[in-house]
Amino acid sequence: MYLSNSGETSSYLSNFTPFELLFVEDAPMLQMILAGRTPKEAFPTVKKIVLMAPGSDASSLGLDNVLTWADLRKAAESVPESQLDEIESSQCVNEACVVLFTSGTTGMPKGAMLSHDNLAYAIALIGDSWLWGRETIVTCLPLNHIAAFLLDVLMQLHHGGTTYCADKNALKGTLVWNQEMSRVRTTLWTLCIHRWRL
């Protein structure tokens, strides 16, 4: 979900694609998306909501289906390897892996289904043609943006790289590029030209 999404847009997205996990930045963003509704009213199929920002406090919301990123990681430790193997072996060619949505600048957001084999092919092609290795990236894009999802998340997972997420206001002047880039020893930087418009 983009920070600019209205309650109407968020409802449209949840009705278009019934999803079970919802990742949001923090509690204020979740409250904005819910727009006074309960999570069940806003997102009928969602089982868990994950707050991504470090230091997020899920208990302050008084909702039993909200976790922090740390909570999710802790829960993942108890999943047996055999269960993960079973899920992996059940994946089929051309089966949906993820649906990514546009930001909706020309109307309601449009969804694009990306299959497991599509993403595997893209990772192999980009890795070979760009000579991608174990990179260190600072990203300014939201991770639900196609470029950030493919390059800053999937490519990094595949190659064992590290991705640092800049502050959401980084391109508005909160990030001191020289200091940040040298601190994390950035080897690659991806961005979307549209984000530079004033």
Side-chain angles (χ1 to χ4, degrees):
M1 299 281 180
Y2 286 97
L3 285 170
S4 58
N5 283 28
S6 66
E8 178 189 12
T9 301
S10 300
S11 291
Y12 168 80
L13 294 175
S14 66
N15 290 328
F16 184 85
T17 305
F19 46 91
E20 296 181 2
L21 276 175
L22 174 63
F23 292 85
V24 297
E25 184 172 352
D26 53 22
M29 183 179 181
L30 176 59
Q31 290 170 326
M32 182 207 56
I33 291 170
L34 292 176
R37 300 166 296 172
T38 67
K40 207 51 156 168
E41 292 169 334
F43 308 108
T45 60
V46 168
K47 293 180 181 175
K48 296 289 182 187
I49 298 170
V50 181
L51 305 178
M52 301 284 293
S56 291
D57 180 15
S59 63
S60 67
L61 296 168
L63 302 169
D64 60 355
N65 65 335
V66 178
L67 305 169
T68 63
W69 181 251
D71 296 334
L72 182 65
R73 289 186 59 169
K74 186 175 180 182
E77 291 172 3
S78 66
V79 177
E81 204 63 37
S82 60
Q83 186 178 350
L84 297 174
D85 292 340
E86 185 180 319
I87 292 168
E88 185 177 336
S89 66
S90 72
Q91 302 306 309
C92 299
V93 172
N94 210 23
E95 186 174 70
C97 175
V98 67
V99 177
L100 291 181
F101 288 88
T102 65
S103 60
T105 53
T106 60
M108 282 299 189
K110 289 120 187 115
M113 188 269 305
L114 301 176
S115 63
H116 294 273
D117 50 324
N118 170 267
L119 292 172
Y121 177 77
I123 289 168
L125 183 67
I126 293 169
D128 290 346
S129 60
W130 290 8
L131 302 176
W132 200 288
R134 183 173 253 168
E135 307 296 343
T136 301
I137 293 175
V138 173
T139 184
C140 295
L141 295 173
L143 296 181
N144 59 321
H145 186 284
I146 184 65
F149 181 70
L150 183 59
L151 302 175
D152 301 344
V153 176
L154 298 181
M155 288 296 292
Q156 292 293 80
L157 287 171
H158 182 73
H159 291 281
T162 303
T163 297
Y164 292 89
C165 295
D167 179 85
K168 63 186 171 191
N169 296 314
L171 297 180
K172 295 178 183 173
T174 62
L175 184 64
V176 181
W177 284 109
N178 291 342
Q179 290 175 2
E180 192 66 16
M181 297 295 201
S182 62
R183 182 181 69 80
V184 301
R185 298 178 182 256
T186 304
T187 59
L188 190 65
W189 180 39
T190 59
L191 68 122
C192 177
I193 300 301
H194 170 77
R195 305 294 284 175
W196 287 97
R197 288 187 196 167
L198 298 176

